[in-house]
Amino acid sequence: MLKLALAAALAGAILDAPPARAASHHAAAIGYSRDAEKVLADARAATGGNGWFMLRGWHETGHVAGVAYERWLDPLRFGMRVESHDPAGLRVEGFNGQGDWIIATPGAAPVTGDEAATATARGEAFLGVYGFFYASRFDAHGQALGVRQAGGRSFDVIDVKPFGGDARELWFDRSSHLLGRIVDRTGPKPVTIELADYRKLGPVRVAFRETITVDHNPPQVRQIDSLVFTPSDRALFSLPRTEP
């Protein structure tokens, strides 16, 4: 499934990844607390270590609540595109790092988001590529919130916020160091995402299943069907130009 030239990418990874001792200092300088960086360092080691610095693209297909989707992300800088295929037709959403846009149905006029919508898109693009492992790329800030209990498990919880994006609570299992849940408390009702079905893919381990619950409503499941770390043309993330 994975079609990266890993040997060639490793050379770039060595240049991109900071030395272990320097990483903690740099992360703290841009906003991670020492305790938060320790949690993230353990999580990064458990899911691929420096393998995360080898990724140059992200292209996945899957289903959310039975609706097929295709998503492109950029692990090097903010970028996201999602195409959903539902009974109403094709819906396309994009974010190029500056602004987000939506084409709800084919031929319809695009809708561009306001500041709040852009912050949400920025946060989704950040979390989609596990951007908390690349603090310097996304100017992320965070601090440890302590240990929490849920479902008979113990979690190290940190609060992380990328530049211009929404803050999220990241819950890391204290035994496996895997990200087990993401909690969004920015809206009127909390949104919880449970991550599971971790699989080794190329140099990293990724969760292929997310269970999304808004307050106490019935959950929705997002399942990844395929994933490759292929670089995308940055034009994908911008609103398509219309011919004059």
Side-chain angles (χ1 to χ4, degrees), residues 82-187:
V82 183
E83 296 184 1
S84 302
H85 303 268
D86 58 29
L90 176 65
R91 174 186 174 92
V92 185
E93 304 176 51
F95 175 68
N96 63 4
Q98 298 298 320
D100 70 300
W101 50 272
I102 299 173
I103 301 177
T105 56
V111 176
T112 54
D114 55 16
E115 183 175 345
T118 298
T120 298
R122 187 179 292 268
E124 292 178 358
F126 170 76
L127 291 172
V129 293
Y130 295 66
F132 38 85
F133 289 150
Y134 311 107
S136 60
R137 293 184 188 178
F138 300 102
D139 191 19
H141 301 256
Q143 60 182 348
L145 300 179
V147 178
R148 306 278 177 82
Q149 306 293 324
R153 299 159 63 191
S154 295
F155 296 87
D156 287 312
V157 182
I158 63 176
D159 183 76
V160 173
K161 183 180 185 299
F163 174 78
D166 293 330
R168 296 288 186 269
E169 290 179 10
L170 306 184
W171 294 46
F172 294 91
D173 188 289
R174 302 198 81 197
S175 298
S176 65
H177 302 296
L178 299 179
L179 179 62
R181 60 167 48 184
I182 301 171
V183 181
D184 174 9
R185 302 188 188 278
T186 60

Side-chain angles (χ1 to χ4, degrees), residues 13-31:
I14 295 173
L15 296 175
D16 195 21
R21 183 172 298 179
S24 178
H25 172 78
H26 183 64
I30 64 169

Side-chain angles (χ1 to χ4, degrees), residues 188-192 213-218:
K189 296 182 179 180
V191 178
T192 301
T213 305
V214 181
D215 198 19
H216 299 292
N217 295 317

